[in-house]
């Protein structure tokens, strides 16, 4: 496809490719024109997924890779951008994104270019099933129309969380915030500031912030994930180190050394606890530590 009016186009390219027979090439002779291509995949509920792809670009081009999710049943929407995870491989970089399908979803994978002149190539786009989700312990979205998890996928723990200092955008109250009340466990991982409370919350000008989670009883926890904003374009929001801590000790159980923009996950945990803390450190030269959503996954101990 080529548009002769705005001087951009995309092509199947058999000359520049990472593997296989062909790649997708986007070409632009229009410095400010945005162009993209997309594909859709239907996915079942109750699984973890990783979508990945490789990109190679001329110096002046600004390639993009993103994904969107829409529920068959509720219309709930979500999504995010891909993160670069691999060093150059003959000019190619690998980008990935992890997500979950708590309801039946349509996945939209979009590749494109935002500005510049020249060429950008995409190849080896892959979707990997990382296994079943398990059971949600933080009630994310329970009682919220259009955001409630699938039946049988969650436990009503009646739990709560307590930030070490009030977070802007969250419920304004003294003491713990119930999972069904809070912005951090509302089943919405977007950044909608018009809602009350917001769909996200943040600390401002603090070196770090902590959230204490109380599940109300002991549960076996095998996975914790959280979505943070590391806004590279505005350089306002940013999280560096993320620590998972016991309730009564500063010795980390697990760490994420450098948070990615979007979902970050503590996988393959083997913990039995009622209370745990998450400590997020502010990235240098940023103003806000911003959290869109936090999820605990596990089961009742036998």
């Amino acid at each position: 496809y080529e548009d002769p009016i705005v001087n951009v186009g995309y092509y199947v390219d058999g000359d520049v490719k990472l593997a296989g027979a062909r790649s997708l090439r986007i070409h632009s002779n229009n410095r400010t024109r945005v162009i993209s291509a997309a594909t859709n995949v239907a996915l079942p509920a109750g699984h973890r997924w990783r979508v990945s792809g490789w990109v190679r670009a001329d110096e002046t081009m600004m390639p993009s890779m993103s994904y969107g999710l829409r529920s068959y049943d509720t219309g709930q929407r979500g999504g995010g951008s891909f993160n670069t995870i691999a060093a150059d491989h003959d000019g190619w970089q690998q980008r990935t994104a992890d997500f979950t399908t708590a309801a039946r979803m349509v996945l939209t994978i979009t590749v494109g270019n935002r500005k510049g002149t020249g060429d950008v190539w995409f190849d080896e786009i892959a979707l990997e099933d990382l296994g079943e989700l398990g059971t949600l312990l933080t009630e994310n979205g329970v009682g919220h129309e259009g955001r409630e998890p699938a039946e049988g996928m969650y436990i009503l723990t009646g739990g709560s969380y307590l930030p070490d200092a009030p977070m802007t955008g969250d419920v304004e109250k003294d003491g713990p915030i119930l999972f069904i009340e809070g912005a951090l466990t509302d089943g919405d991982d977007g950044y909608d500031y018009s809602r009350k409370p917001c769909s996200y919350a943040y600390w401002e000008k603090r070196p770090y912030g902590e959230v204490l989670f109380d599940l109300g009883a002991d549960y076996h926890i095998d996975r914790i994930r959280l979505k943070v904003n590391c806004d590279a374009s505005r350089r306002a929001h940013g999280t560096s180190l993320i620590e998972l801590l016991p309730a009564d000790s500063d010795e980390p159980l697990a760490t994420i050394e450098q948070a990615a923009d979007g979902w970050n996950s503590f996988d393959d945990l083997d913990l039995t606890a009622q209370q745990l803390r998450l400590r997020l450190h502010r990235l240098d030269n940023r103003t806000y530590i911003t959290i869109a959503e936090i999820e605990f996954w596990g089961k009742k101990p036998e």
Side-chain angles (χ1 to χ4, degrees), residues 218-236:
D218 280 346
Y219 286 88
H220 183 268
I221 300 162
D222 52 42
R223 187 165 179 262
I224 297 173
R225 70 179 200 137
L226 64 161
K227 186 176 182 180
V228 301
N229 188 349
C230 297
D231 190 339
S233 60
R234 295 193 302 165
R235 297 188 64 81

Side-chain angles (χ1 to χ4, degrees), residues 39-246:
T39 190
N40 297 313
V41 184
L43 300 175
H47 283 251
R48 299 184 291 127
W49 304 89
R50 175 168 296 152
V51 61
S52 62
W54 292 77
V55 58
R56 176 177 175 177
D58 289 344
E59 185 176 353
T60 62
M61 297 287 271
M62 189 178 293
S64 62
M65 298 182 70
S66 63
Y67 71 95
L69 295 167
R70 178 176 57 82
S71 169
Y72 281 87
D73 305 311
T74 66
Q76 177 185 350
R77 295 178 180 271
S81 58
F82 286 53
N83 297 303
T84 301
I85 65 161
D88 283 357
H89 177 73
D90 193 25
W92 292 87
Q93 282 190 330
Q94 189 180 26
R95 299 185 181 185
T96 70
D98 291 0
F99 62 94
T100 63
T101 51
R104 295 187 304 156
M105 294 281 184
V106 175
L107 166 70
T108 302
I109 303 170
T110 304
V111 299
N113 189 71
R114 295 191 294 271
K115 63 184 297 186
T117 57
D119 292 291
V120 56
W121 294 265
F122 299 93
D123 204 355
E124 292 299 291
I125 293 177
L127 179 65
E128 181 182 1
D129 186 344
L130 300 179
E132 294 186 357
L133 271 174
T135 307
L136 183 63
L137 304 176
T138 37
E139 305 177 18
N140 299 65
V142 173
H144 297 265
E145 185 177 355
R147 300 199 296 275
E148 190 149 358
E151 189 66 32
M153 286 190 59
Y154 60 91
I155 296 174
L156 294 173
T157 64
S160 63
Y161 65 84
L162 179 64
D164 66 338
M167 300 185 74
T168 301
D170 210 341
V171 175
E172 297 180 7
K173 64 179 295 187
D174 294 329
I177 300 169
L178 294 176
F179 293 151
I180 59 173
E181 299 175 336
L184 304 186
T185 51
D186 63 357
D188 186 344
D189 64 359
Y191 297 99
D192 184 359
Y193 62 85
S194 65
R195 285 186 28 223
K196 301 295 181 183
C198 293
S199 62
Y200 63 98
Y202 62 87
W203 293 287
E204 182 177 359
K205 296 181 179 178
R206 299 189 69 210
Y208 66 86
E210 283 189 8
V211 185
L212 171 67
F213 282 79
D214 189 334
L215 299 172
D218 280 346
Y219 286 88
H220 183 268
I221 300 162
D222 52 42
R223 187 165 179 262
I224 297 173
R225 70 179 200 137
L226 64 161
K227 186 176 182 180
V228 301
N229 188 349
C230 297
D231 190 339
S233 60
R234 295 193 302 165
R235 297 188 64 81
H237 306 264
T239 299
S240 55
L241 177 70
I242 304 175
E243 297 173 293
L244 175 62
L245 303 162

Side-chain angles (χ1 to χ4, degrees), residues 210 212-213 244-250 253 273-277:
E210 283 189 8
L212 171 67
F213 282 79
L244 175 62
L245 303 162
D248 55 359
S249 170
D250 282 337
L253 299 167
Q274 175 177 330
Q275 294 184 331
L276 289 170
R277 290 181 294 155

